[in-house]
Amino acid sequence: MIKKALLASATSLLLLFFALFSCSSGERDIAQEQQEEGMPSDFTLITDVIPDAILEIRYYSSYNFVGERIDGYMAPVAIMTVKAANALKEVSDELAEKGYRLKIYDAYRPQRAVNHFIRWAENVEDVRMKPYFYPDVPKSELFERQYIMARSGHSRGSTVDLTLLDMKTGKDLDMGGVFDWFGELSHPDYENITPQQKANRLILREAMLKHGFAPLDSEWWHFTLKNEPYPDTYFDFPITMQ
């Protein structure tokens, strides 16, 4: 009996060892660095690069599909890799000449925030924000339809969610749908919107593609730098005023 118990214990320890080392060594090193140093040196506040960018950081507030501040959002600021922020500056400069300013909803997103989304999605009884963001989608299907996923490109640091503000009117351009709406209305090529709304989406899309960003086929507001510096790394340092 003692031999069997020792064998079972050794087997459990071996399985634990393999589980701990199943991720890449690079990801482990990054996680340790974040605990010690916070934001890596090649990340930046977007407003340090684009001072006139408007920030409406939804996950710092309670006005989002969860209905509360999201883990890791300790300040209402937007962070990106320096490379992505510089590319976004080119977008901003071009659109400013046409009378528009960038309004940013989200950029870098810590993995702990994604984990918060997962916990929320698993609690199917919490539907307090359903009328505002997913009235036509059962919460139980959010994983199946990939509205909620275990990993987000935002955590790699070179993805941004944004819209445009018209400097003449002082109002957001009408994109025919709101940020973080779960449904076909959010697809960039959705047809059942007005010609002006389609044109407004195209203004943003064309400028982002011109300066090196790739779109997402399910969200008109979502773009990722094509040649992102961390294509396989998911960061977890918190968002603070650094």
Side-chain angles (χ1 to χ4, degrees):
M1 291 296 291
I2 294 176
K3 289 183 179 180
K4 288 183 179 180
L6 288 174
L7 181 60
S9 177
T11 302
S12 297
L13 287 173
L14 185 61
L15 290 173
L16 177 61
F17 175 84
F18 282 116
L20 288 173
F21 286 89
S22 62
C23 62
S24 70
S25 61
E27 287 189 355
R28 290 197 304 278
D29 292 343
I30 287 293
Q32 182 178 1
E33 177 184 336
Q34 291 164 10
Q35 290 294 326
E36 296 174 355
E37 301 180 8
M39 186 171 74
S41 59
D42 57 347
F43 280 66
T44 183
L45 294 175
I46 290 179
T47 49
D48 284 350
V49 180
I50 312 172
D52 65 345
I54 301 167
L55 303 183
E56 189 177 313
I57 309 303
R58 291 289 184 86
Y59 302 137
Y60 180 78
S61 75
S62 60
Y63 183 58
N64 55 61
F65 62 85
V66 175
E68 61 192 41
R69 183 179 298 178
I70 304 304
D71 291 354
Y73 286 79
M74 301 174 65
V77 296
I79 293 172
M80 293 186 82
T81 60
V82 171
K83 184 175 182 179
N86 286 336
L88 193 63
K89 176 66 162 59
E90 295 176 0
V91 175
S92 178
D93 289 346
E94 176 180 325
L95 291 177
E97 294 179 357
K98 300 177 180 179
Y100 304 110
R101 291 173 64 186
L102 304 185
K103 174 182 277 192
I104 297 171
Y105 296 120
D106 194 34
Y108 161 71
R109 181 184 304 163
Q111 180 61 41
R112 69 191 71 184
V114 178
N115 296 342
H116 191 162
F117 292 164
I118 293 171
R119 293 193 305 272
W120 167 82
E122 290 172 342
N123 178 11
V124 294
E125 295 182 359
D126 182 358
V127 291
R128 59 189 133 157
M129 301 303 286
K130 182 176 177 62
Y132 309 102
F133 294 100
Y134 55 105
D136 303 320
V137 181
K139 189 176 180 184
S140 60
E141 297 180 9
L142 293 181
F143 282 114
E144 176 185 344
R145 301 193 188 191
Q146 297 188 337
Y147 291 118
I148 303 293
M149 301 178 69
R151 294 288 195 183
S152 168
H154 282 274
S155 300
R156 302 194 300 264
S158 296
T159 293
V160 62
D161 293 336
L162 75 171
T163 191
L164 298 177
L165 180 134
D166 187 333
M167 288 191 281
K168 289 183 180 179
T169 65
K171 298 179 180 179
D172 293 354
L173 284 189
D174 182 359
M175 299 294 190
V178 298
F179 168 66
D180 259 357
W181 181 270
F182 295 170
E184 292 184 7
L185 176 63
S186 295
H187 295 188
D189 58 355
Y190 184 71
E191 290 295 328
N192 195 23
I193 56 177
T194 70
Q196 185 60 60
Q197 291 166 342
K198 292 179 184 179
N200 291 343
R201 291 187 179 192
L202 199 58
I203 292 170
L204 175 62
R205 182 186 179 92
E206 288 183 344
M208 295 296 286
L209 268 61
K210 179 179 177 180
H211 295 285
F213 288 87
L216 185 67
D217 61 8
S218 59
E219 298 175 352
W220 60 260
W221 57 80
H222 178 115
F223 297 88
T224 299
L225 190 68
K226 291 179 182 178
N227 191 21
E228 58 182 311
Y230 295 104
D232 301 309
T233 302
Y234 295 83
F235 294 88
D236 192 38
F237 61 89
I239 296 172
T240 60
M241 294 288 295
Q242 300 190 43

